[in-house]
Amino acid sequence: MTNAPAPGGVAHPGYLDTASAEPLHPAAREALTAALERGFADPRRLHQRARDARLLLDNARAVVAECLGCRPDEVGFTGSGTEAVHRGLLGLVAAHGRRSGIVHSAVEHSAVLHATQWRPSPAHVTVGVDRHGRVDTSTLADAATGPDVAAVALQSANQEVGTLQPVDDLDLPDEVPLLVDAAASLGRVAPPQRWSALTGSARKWGGPAGVGILAVRRRTRWTNPFPGDDDLDGDFGNVPGALAAAAALQAVTAERDEVAARQWPLVDHIRAAAAAIPDTEVVGDPERRLPHLVTFSVLYVPGDELVAALDRRGFCVASGSACTASTLEPSHVLAAMGALTHGNVRVSLARDTTEDEVVRFCTALADSVAELRRDTP
Amino acid sequence: MIEVDSRDQPCPQPIIELARAIADVAVGDLLAVVARDPAARHDVPAWCRMRGQEYVGEEVADDGVPRYVVRRLS
């Protein structure tokens, strides 16, 4: 089996949407194939095959724990990153008894917002962000001192604009746990250390879809908010998926600094090319950001048409514009930042994206905008 | 005041119409765009910031549709 790119080439040329889903890492493919053979049994049973599966699952847990800098018994697997956020956040609230409020930034992933809306409370607080999408730690900490606050949720990095949040600088009251949604940053930058619960999604770091992780510190009070045992894993039985997710995380963690060092100048190139297009705004923090991701908004251009024009030229990108969303609502992230919500494009590089691809993308971008703006002011 | 009727236009058409109409407004005068498109609520102020114009605020038209008011500064 060969998944390695041809010399000088890339595995999926033109695919610049890894913030939605990264192609399967070669290390994950290898682990998945082996584990499908060996890890099919239910790890909760008592026989030989079950012990095999349990061994693989424990191995996956240990690898993820090492990548996160926590203990293996603090790591659980879920059916998705969204499920990890739901179980994690609502589980912190459920363990708190009387208190019900959740304090979160205005730019959290919809998984956090949906969990919050699902358990309404007069004590919920949304904390705004600055022009770069960054939350102010003292405003967040002040909100967390409210008498009915059960938990705080803050992402490690924003999934749409790449802005890093000052998670490790947060100073919260002792009794208020912190859920860190690290889906956008795991495998890209060093994981935060300041968390009570941490969540992630394997397909965003080159693992298979359908595997999320939920880590909860041992000293943190957490109970399953849904029907079932008070077990982090619930009835998660996708042992091959967990092992492949762990193998991919280990691989991308090992090559993280080298990949980021290659991606920084490539993203800088795209930032400059986008900014050179008239009436175009590059959004997100220019310095404190993810290494592989850049977002910009182009005035007078519909986001869905820009995505389609780039697709015709061979490039896959995402957009947070209203016309690309099924709800027809603009991105709550761009809105909270005061950024232009239409004509939005998010570019997220793969680990093997080349300079040549980036140069060709910048040409395709300028051509697409010129084509779509032909009739505008 | 010049009023642009973008009631039933999808994003980003209200902003395109706003940019066209501003040429007919004297510097210092007001312009309003009426739009149901939910993106307009965010994009009219963002357009003002990017184009150096003043965002005055949001009102409601007689039929209940949001009406965004802009002052031409340049």
Side-chain angles (χ1 to χ4, degrees), chain A residues 131 279 281 299-300 302 328 330 335 338 340-342 375-377, chain B residues 11-12 15-16 19-20 37-39 42-43 46-47 49-51:
Chain A
R131 280 287 317 285
D279 290 319
E281 187 172 48
L299 203 52
Y300 312 132
L328 294 178
L340 191 71
T341 73
H342 73 246
D375 309 321
T376 50
Chain B
C11 150
I15 308 302
I16 292 174
R20 283 204 181 110
D37 162 37
H42 311 289
D43 287 351
W47 177 86
R49 181 173 51 70
M50 288 171 73
R51 302 297 307 167

mmCIF file of all heavy atoms in Angstrom, chain A residues 131 279 281 299-300 302 328 330 335 338 340-342 375-377, chain B residues 11-12 15-16 19-20 37-39 42-43 46-47 49-51:
data_model
loop_
_atom_site.group_PDB
_atom_site.id
_atom_site.type_symbol
_atom_site.label_atom_id
_atom_site.label_comp_id
_atom_site.label_asym_id
_atom_site.label_seq_id
_atom_site.Cartn_x
_atom_site.Cartn_y
_atom_site.Cartn_z
ATOM 1 N N ARG A 131 -11.077 42.627 17.858
ATOM 2 C CA ARG A 131 -11.110 42.593 16.397
ATOM 3 C C ARG A 131 -10.416 41.349 15.840
ATOM 4 O O ARG A 131 -10.730 40.895 14.742
ATOM 5 C CB ARG A 131 -10.418 43.847 15.842
ATOM 6 C CG ARG A 131 -11.245 45.112 15.831
ATOM 7 C CD ARG A 131 -12.322 45.053 14.743
ATOM 8 N NE ARG A 131 -11.791 44.508 13.495
ATOM 9 C CZ ARG A 131 -11.009 45.153 12.652
ATOM 10 N NH1 ARG A 131 -10.673 46.376 12.888
ATOM 11 N NH2 ARG A 131 -10.575 44.577 11.547
ATOM 12 N N ASP A 279 -10.043 46.053 -1.427
ATOM 13 C CA ASP A 279 -11.210 45.824 -0.581
ATOM 14 C C ASP A 279 -11.287 44.394 -0.053
ATOM 15 O O ASP A 279 -12.342 43.760 -0.069
ATOM 16 C CB ASP A 279 -12.507 46.177 -1.330
ATOM 17 C CG ASP A 279 -12.633 47.671 -1.552
ATOM 18 O OD1 ASP A 279 -12.306 48.436 -0.634
ATOM 19 O OD2 ASP A 279 -13.046 48.075 -2.655
ATOM 20 N N GLU A 281 -10.039 41.975 3.287
ATOM 21 C CA GLU A 281 -9.573 42.082 4.663
ATOM 22 C C GLU A 281 -9.138 40.705 5.171
ATOM 23 O O GLU A 281 -9.938 39.768 5.170
ATOM 24 C CB GLU A 281 -10.720 42.618 5.518
ATOM 25 C CG GLU A 281 -10.349 42.946 6.931
ATOM 26 C CD GLU A 281 -11.481 43.658 7.654
ATOM 27 O OE1 GLU A 281 -12.641 43.198 7.580
ATOM 28 O OE2 GLU A 281 -11.201 44.671 8.302
ATOM 29 N N LEU A 299 -14.805 42.001 -0.238
ATOM 30 C CA LEU A 299 -15.996 42.847 -0.381
ATOM 31 C C LEU A 299 -16.662 42.643 -1.745
ATOM 32 O O LEU A 299 -15.966 42.512 -2.753
ATOM 33 C CB LEU A 299 -15.557 44.305 -0.196
ATOM 34 C CG LEU A 299 -16.582 45.360 0.228
ATOM 35 C CD1 LEU A 299 -17.345 44.948 1.469
ATOM 36 C CD2 LEU A 299 -15.848 46.679 0.479
ATOM 37 N N TYR A 300 -17.987 42.633 -1.756
ATOM 38 C CA TYR A 300 -18.826 42.550 -2.970
ATOM 39 C C TYR A 300 -18.795 41.185 -3.655
ATOM 40 O O TYR A 300 -19.188 41.082 -4.826
ATOM 41 C CB TYR A 300 -18.426 43.622 -4.009
ATOM 42 C CG TYR A 300 -18.271 45.011 -3.445
ATOM 43 C CD1 TYR A 300 -17.144 45.792 -3.729
ATOM 44 C CD2 TYR A 300 -19.253 45.576 -2.629
ATOM 45 C CE1 TYR A 300 -16.996 47.064 -3.221
ATOM 46 C CE2 TYR A 300 -19.111 46.853 -2.105
ATOM 47 C CZ TYR A 300 -17.971 47.591 -2.410
ATOM 48 O OH TYR A 300 -17.819 48.851 -1.908
ATOM 49 N N PRO A 302 -19.934 37.039 -3.295
ATOM 50 C CA PRO A 302 -20.618 36.005 -2.496
ATOM 51 C C PRO A 302 -19.653 34.864 -2.157
ATOM 52 O O PRO A 302 -18.959 34.373 -3.046
ATOM 53 C CB PRO A 302 -21.733 35.506 -3.413
ATOM 54 C CG PRO A 302 -21.780 36.457 -4.568
ATOM 55 C CD PRO A 302 -20.417 37.070 -4.685
ATOM 56 N N LEU A 328 -28.377 30.042 6.294
ATOM 57 C CA LEU A 328 -28.348 31.402 5.739
ATOM 58 C C LEU A 328 -27.999 32.446 6.787
ATOM 59 O O LEU A 328 -28.230 33.627 6.600
ATOM 60 C CB LEU A 328 -29.666 31.752 5.034
ATOM 61 C CG LEU A 328 -29.950 30.931 3.774
ATOM 62 C CD1 LEU A 328 -31.299 31.314 3.166
ATOM 63 C CD2 LEU A 328 -28.852 31.083 2.738
ATOM 64 N N PRO A 330 -24.929 34.282 8.845
ATOM 65 C CA PRO A 330 -23.481 34.432 8.708
ATOM 66 C C PRO A 330 -22.754 33.815 9.897
ATOM 67 O O PRO A 330 -23.349 33.581 10.948
ATOM 68 C CB PRO A 330 -23.283 35.946 8.677
ATOM 69 C CG PRO A 330 -24.474 36.504 9.377
ATOM 70 C CD PRO A 330 -25.606 35.550 9.120
ATOM 71 N N ALA A 335 -18.998 37.605 12.801
ATOM 72 C CA ALA A 335 -19.890 38.642 13.323
ATOM 73 C C ALA A 335 -19.377 39.176 14.661
ATOM 74 O O ALA A 335 -19.344 40.387 14.885
ATOM 75 C CB ALA A 335 -21.309 38.087 13.463
ATOM 76 N N GLY A 338 -16.646 41.633 14.309
ATOM 77 C CA GLY A 338 -16.931 42.834 13.536
ATOM 78 C C GLY A 338 -16.341 42.760 12.139
ATOM 79 O O GLY A 338 -16.180 43.772 11.459
ATOM 80 N N LEU A 340 -16.130 41.529 8.073
ATOM 81 C CA LEU A 340 -17.044 41.361 6.951
ATOM 82 C C LEU A 340 -17.429 39.882 6.872
ATOM 83 O O LEU A 340 -16.553 39.026 6.877
ATOM 84 C CB LEU A 340 -16.320 41.797 5.670
ATOM 85 C CG LEU A 340 -17.166 41.947 4.411
ATOM 86 C CD1 LEU A 340 -18.066 43.177 4.539
ATOM 87 C CD2 LEU A 340 -16.263 42.076 3.204
ATOM 88 N N THR A 341 -18.734 39.591 6.802
ATOM 89 C CA THR A 341 -19.118 38.170 6.825
ATOM 90 C C THR A 341 -19.305 37.596 5.425
ATOM 91 O O THR A 341 -19.314 36.378 5.260
ATOM 92 C CB THR A 341 -20.400 37.924 7.643
ATOM 93 O OG1 THR A 341 -21.526 38.410 6.914
ATOM 94 C CG2 THR A 341 -20.330 38.591 9.006
ATOM 95 N N HIS A 342 -19.498 38.449 4.407
ATOM 96 C CA HIS A 342 -19.633 37.857 3.059
ATOM 97 C C HIS A 342 -18.259 37.771 2.379
ATOM 98 O O HIS A 342 -17.284 38.341 2.861
ATOM 99 C CB HIS A 342 -20.667 38.616 2.215
ATOM 100 C CG HIS A 342 -20.227 39.960 1.727
ATOM 101 N ND1 HIS A 342 -20.807 41.139 2.153
ATOM 102 C CD2 HIS A 342 -19.276 40.332 0.835
ATOM 103 C CE1 HIS A 342 -20.225 42.154 1.535
ATOM 104 N NE2 HIS A 342 -19.290 41.697 0.744
ATOM 105 N N ASP A 375 -19.232 42.768 -12.373
ATOM 106 C CA ASP A 375 -20.412 43.644 -12.436
ATOM 107 C C ASP A 375 -20.594 44.500 -11.188
ATOM 108 O O ASP A 375 -21.647 45.091 -11.011
ATOM 109 C CB ASP A 375 -21.677 42.792 -12.607
ATOM 110 C CG ASP A 375 -21.529 41.819 -13.753
ATOM 111 O OD1 ASP A 375 -20.942 42.231 -14.771
ATOM 112 O OD2 ASP A 375 -21.980 40.681 -13.616
ATOM 113 N N THR A 376 -19.617 44.525 -10.308
ATOM 114 C CA THR A 376 -19.838 45.224 -9.036
ATOM 115 C C THR A 376 -19.188 46.613 -9.037
ATOM 116 O O THR A 376 -18.416 46.926 -9.934
ATOM 117 C CB THR A 376 -19.318 44.375 -7.868
ATOM 118 O OG1 THR A 376 -17.994 43.969 -8.162
ATOM 119 C CG2 THR A 376 -20.182 43.160 -7.658
ATOM 120 N N PRO A 377 -19.496 47.430 -8.020
ATOM 121 C CA PRO A 377 -19.038 48.812 -8.010
ATOM 122 C C PRO A 377 -17.522 48.936 -8.140
ATOM 123 O O PRO A 377 -16.816 48.092 -7.630
ATOM 124 C CB PRO A 377 -19.466 49.332 -6.638
ATOM 125 C CG PRO A 377 -20.475 48.395 -6.115
ATOM 126 C CD PRO A 377 -20.258 47.088 -6.800
ATOM 127 N N CYS B 11 -27.438 38.160 0.346
ATOM 128 C CA CYS B 11 -26.069 38.585 0.613
ATOM 129 C C CYS B 11 -25.192 38.245 -0.575
ATOM 130 O O CYS B 11 -25.330 37.151 -1.119
ATOM 131 C CB CYS B 11 -25.582 37.871 1.871
ATOM 132 S SG CYS B 11 -23.835 37.518 1.984
ATOM 133 N N PRO B 12 -24.288 39.069 -1.064
ATOM 134 C CA PRO B 12 -23.947 40.404 -0.547
ATOM 135 C C PRO B 12 -24.590 41.555 -1.327
ATOM 136 O O PRO B 12 -24.068 42.659 -1.330
ATOM 137 C CB PRO B 12 -22.431 40.442 -0.730
ATOM 138 C CG PRO B 12 -22.217 39.683 -2.012
ATOM 139 C CD PRO B 12 -23.336 38.657 -2.107
ATOM 140 N N ILE B 15 -25.042 45.100 0.101
ATOM 141 C CA ILE B 15 -23.797 45.877 0.249
ATOM 142 C C ILE B 15 -23.367 46.433 -1.107
ATOM 143 O O ILE B 15 -22.876 47.563 -1.206
ATOM 144 C CB ILE B 15 -22.675 45.001 0.861
ATOM 145 C CG1 ILE B 15 -23.161 44.340 2.149
ATOM 146 C CG2 ILE B 15 -21.416 45.834 1.113
ATOM 147 C CD1 ILE B 15 -23.628 45.307 3.224
ATOM 148 N N ILE B 16 -23.563 45.648 -2.155
ATOM 149 C CA ILE B 16 -23.223 46.115 -3.509
ATOM 150 C C ILE B 16 -24.106 47.317 -3.865
ATOM 151 O O ILE B 16 -23.622 48.329 -4.386
ATOM 152 C CB ILE B 16 -23.392 44.955 -4.520
ATOM 153 C CG1 ILE B 16 -22.323 43.886 -4.263
ATOM 154 C CG2 ILE B 16 -23.316 45.475 -5.957
ATOM 155 C CD1 ILE B 16 -22.465 42.628 -5.101
ATOM 156 N N ALA B 19 -22.995 50.395 -1.951
ATOM 157 C CA ALA B 19 -21.770 50.979 -2.518
ATOM 158 C C ALA B 19 -22.083 51.767 -3.791
ATOM 159 O O ALA B 19 -21.472 52.803 -4.060
ATOM 160 C CB ALA B 19 -20.757 49.870 -2.808
ATOM 161 N N ARG B 20 -23.052 51.279 -4.591
ATOM 162 C CA ARG B 20 -23.447 51.992 -5.817
ATOM 163 C C ARG B 20 -24.129 53.305 -5.466
ATOM 164 O O ARG B 20 -23.848 54.346 -6.057
ATOM 165 C CB ARG B 20 -24.421 51.128 -6.631
ATOM 166 C CG ARG B 20 -23.754 50.029 -7.382
ATOM 167 C CD ARG B 20 -24.601 49.593 -8.591
ATOM 168 N NE ARG B 20 -23.916 48.500 -9.272
ATOM 169 C CZ ARG B 20 -24.357 47.245 -9.275
ATOM 170 N NH1 ARG B 20 -25.492 46.933 -8.666
ATOM 171 N NH2 ARG B 20 -23.670 46.313 -9.887
ATOM 172 N N ASP B 37 -31.824 40.314 4.662
ATOM 173 C CA ASP B 37 -30.641 39.453 4.719
ATOM 174 C C ASP B 37 -29.917 39.623 6.058
ATOM 175 O O ASP B 37 -29.478 40.724 6.392
ATOM 176 C CB ASP B 37 -29.719 39.834 3.542
ATOM 177 C CG ASP B 37 -28.302 39.324 3.756
ATOM 178 O OD1 ASP B 37 -28.159 38.221 4.293
ATOM 179 O OD2 ASP B 37 -27.357 40.049 3.397
ATOM 180 N N PRO B 38 -29.796 38.548 6.850
ATOM 181 C CA PRO B 38 -29.196 38.696 8.190
ATOM 182 C C PRO B 38 -27.729 39.099 8.167
ATOM 183 O O PRO B 38 -27.221 39.643 9.146
ATOM 184 C CB PRO B 38 -29.370 37.311 8.829
ATOM 185 C CG PRO B 38 -29.605 36.375 7.689
ATOM 186 C CD PRO B 38 -30.224 37.163 6.584
ATOM 187 N N ALA B 39 -27.042 38.875 7.052
ATOM 188 C CA ALA B 39 -25.624 39.257 6.976
ATOM 189 C C ALA B 39 -25.466 40.774 6.929
ATOM 190 O O ALA B 39 -24.441 41.308 7.350
ATOM 191 C CB ALA B 39 -24.978 38.618 5.751
ATOM 192 N N HIS B 42 -24.290 42.782 9.986
ATOM 193 C CA HIS B 42 -22.853 42.802 10.290
ATOM 194 C C HIS B 42 -22.064 43.483 9.171
ATOM 195 O O HIS B 42 -21.051 44.116 9.410
ATOM 196 C CB HIS B 42 -22.346 41.380 10.489
ATOM 197 C CG HIS B 42 -23.195 40.589 11.431
ATOM 198 N ND1 HIS B 42 -23.223 40.838 12.788
ATOM 199 C CD2 HIS B 42 -24.085 39.589 11.215
ATOM 200 C CE1 HIS B 42 -24.084 40.006 13.360
ATOM 201 N NE2 HIS B 42 -24.607 39.248 12.436
ATOM 202 N N ASP B 43 -22.545 43.303 7.941
ATOM 203 C CA ASP B 43 -21.736 43.746 6.805
ATOM 204 C C ASP B 43 -21.863 45.234 6.503
ATOM 205 O O ASP B 43 -20.931 45.825 5.946
ATOM 206 C CB ASP B 43 -22.077 42.904 5.568
ATOM 207 C CG ASP B 43 -21.510 41.493 5.687
ATOM 208 O OD1 ASP B 43 -20.723 41.256 6.635
ATOM 209 O OD2 ASP B 43 -21.846 40.629 4.860
ATOM 210 N N ALA B 46 -19.320 46.779 8.786
ATOM 211 C CA ALA B 46 -17.983 46.373 8.315
ATOM 212 C C ALA B 46 -17.620 47.133 7.036
ATOM 213 O O ALA B 46 -16.482 47.585 6.879
ATOM 214 C CB ALA B 46 -17.936 44.865 8.069
ATOM 215 N N TRP B 47 -18.598 47.304 6.149
ATOM 216 C CA TRP B 47 -18.360 48.067 4.917
ATOM 217 C C TRP B 47 -17.972 49.516 5.262
ATOM 218 O O TRP B 47 -17.037 50.069 4.675
ATOM 219 C CB TRP B 47 -19.614 48.049 4.033
ATOM 220 C CG TRP B 47 -19.483 48.865 2.773
ATOM 221 C CD1 TRP B 47 -18.956 48.467 1.581
ATOM 222 C CD2 TRP B 47 -19.886 50.229 2.600
ATOM 223 N NE1 TRP B 47 -18.993 49.503 0.671
ATOM 224 C CE2 TRP B 47 -19.561 50.593 1.267
ATOM 225 C CE3 TRP B 47 -20.490 51.182 3.425
ATOM 226 C CZ2 TRP B 47 -19.820 51.864 0.754
ATOM 227 C CZ3 TRP B 47 -20.743 52.449 2.910
ATOM 228 C CH2 TRP B 47 -20.408 52.790 1.591
ATOM 229 N N ARG B 49 -16.567 50.640 7.954
ATOM 230 C CA ARG B 49 -15.209 50.658 8.503
ATOM 231 C C ARG B 49 -14.173 50.537 7.379
ATOM 232 O O ARG B 49 -13.194 51.282 7.333
ATOM 233 C CB ARG B 49 -15.067 49.512 9.510
ATOM 234 C CG ARG B 49 -13.715 49.416 10.185
ATOM 235 C CD ARG B 49 -13.703 48.375 11.294
ATOM 236 N NE ARG B 49 -14.224 47.077 10.889
ATOM 237 C CZ ARG B 49 -13.605 46.253 10.057
ATOM 238 N NH1 ARG B 49 -12.439 46.578 9.537
ATOM 239 N NH2 ARG B 49 -14.144 45.093 9.728
ATOM 240 N N MET B 50 -14.417 49.584 6.457
ATOM 241 C CA MET B 50 -13.437 49.349 5.386
ATOM 242 C C MET B 50 -13.390 50.508 4.397
ATOM 243 O O MET B 50 -12.348 50.804 3.824
ATOM 244 C CB MET B 50 -13.783 48.048 4.641
ATOM 245 C CG MET B 50 -13.507 46.793 5.463
ATOM 246 S SD MET B 50 -14.150 45.293 4.672
ATOM 247 C CE MET B 50 -12.987 45.062 3.327
ATOM 248 N N ARG B 51 -14.525 51.205 4.168
ATOM 249 C CA ARG B 51 -14.603 52.256 3.157
ATOM 250 C C ARG B 51 -14.508 53.656 3.763
ATOM 251 O O ARG B 51 -14.697 54.648 3.058
ATOM 252 C CB ARG B 51 -15.906 52.132 2.343
ATOM 253 C CG ARG B 51 -16.088 50.796 1.623
ATOM 254 C CD ARG B 51 -15.030 50.528 0.582
ATOM 255 N NE ARG B 51 -14.935 51.647 -0.345
ATOM 256 C CZ ARG B 51 -13.953 51.848 -1.215
ATOM 257 N NH1 ARG B 51 -12.965 50.987 -1.269
ATOM 258 N NH2 ARG B 51 -13.944 52.882 -2.010
#
